[in-house]
Amino acid sequence: MDRYEEAIAKSRVPADDTVVAAEVNKIMENVSEYATPEVYKFLFNSIDLTTLSTEDSQESVTHFTQNVNNFDEEHPEFGHVAAICVYSNFAEVVSSVLEVTGVDVAVVAGGFPSSQTFTAVKVADVALAVAGGANEVDVVMNLGYFRDRNFEDLCDELIELKHTAKGAKMKVILETGALKTAEAIRNASILAMYSEADFIKTSTGKIYPGASPEAAWVMCRCIKEYYEQTGRRVGFKAAGGVRTAEDAVKYYAIVKSVLGDEWLTPELFRIGASSLADNLLTAITGEKLNCF
């Protein structure tokens, strides 16, 4: 048994789908208590505001970034989103246009969204993005390696990408909609964290179903167990299909219930989204806003 198989075997995170569903249902019974303007504002401040369109261009990404600048000037009372997330080739555009202090430049890189390319290509992609100004890099776990239980190559690749990213945060996307089961999501979470991930993220939002409360619960339990074992805090990011304030509050409730208030900070909790930003602002103010 290698070190990765051993780490998985030692985990006590529940991997029975029925048990996971029951635990999530318990949390959802009280989720309405978090539907408050204060929580909505926190969720807005935790958004990775995302554009990942085939039609993205230098002009469109410039406009997307300028919207964040304009919002900060016009509505300082709401604070700002946590990051702007774009394809890796637009890192330099965002970093050159962005004027708001505290908003990170995030990219998807490394063969996004399938992770099906040469490791050398992934390394070059991450390196170029960081050189262009990215300080957060979202990469997809190689699920081909995962399916073959080739954990050594899977983790070696992620570790190499993390070292290439240098000081940039690395978020590892598990693609939970492809993994499907609680057991697979648990195992992938463990592998990502032992590969130096700064965050584990649910989904790409491109091919498979996006985030689900059940996947989030398993991931957060893994983060808690890993912290208890190592003392290292890993962040959680929900992405894919999180569009409404009601959707977002579910993930807030899960993080609060499983990980506690220490994780309720944009340093450790993110939501990848686009339309969610305006929907949260509308929920806060009671007026329809179209700022992004």
Side-chain angles (χ1 to χ4, degrees), residues 218-272:
V218 173
M219 292 167 68
C220 288
R221 281 296 302 270
C222 288
I223 291 169
K224 182 178 182 179
E225 181 180 72
Y226 180 78
Y227 173 67
E228 291 169 349
Q229 292 172 349
T230 68
R232 189 169 79 91
R233 289 183 175 88
V234 174
F236 167 77
K237 179 175 174 178
V242 187
R243 297 185 177 90
T244 68
E246 291 76 17
D247 290 335
V249 165
K250 292 176 184 177
Y251 296 100
Y252 177 94
I254 289 167
V255 170
K256 184 176 179 67
S257 174
V258 177
L259 291 168
D261 290 343
E262 285 181 87
W263 262 261
L264 291 175
T265 164
E267 290 300 308
L268 292 168
F269 175 68
R270 297 286 181 87
I271 299 177

Side-chain angles (χ1 to χ4, degrees), residues 30 42 62-63 92 105 116 138 141 161 178 239 250 260 266 285 289:
N30 300 313
F42 166 75
T62 295
H63 178 72
E92 191 169 358
V105 180
Q116 296 292 0
D138 295 21
M141 175 180 285
L161 294 177
K250 292 176 184 177
T285 63
L289 295 178

Side-chain angles (χ1 to χ4, degrees), residues 20 24 176-177 185 189 202 210-220 236 251:
V20 171
V24 170
T176 55
I185 293 166
S189 297
T202 59
S212 72
E214 292 76 17
W217 187 88
V218 173
M219 292 167 68
C220 288
F236 167 77
Y251 296 100

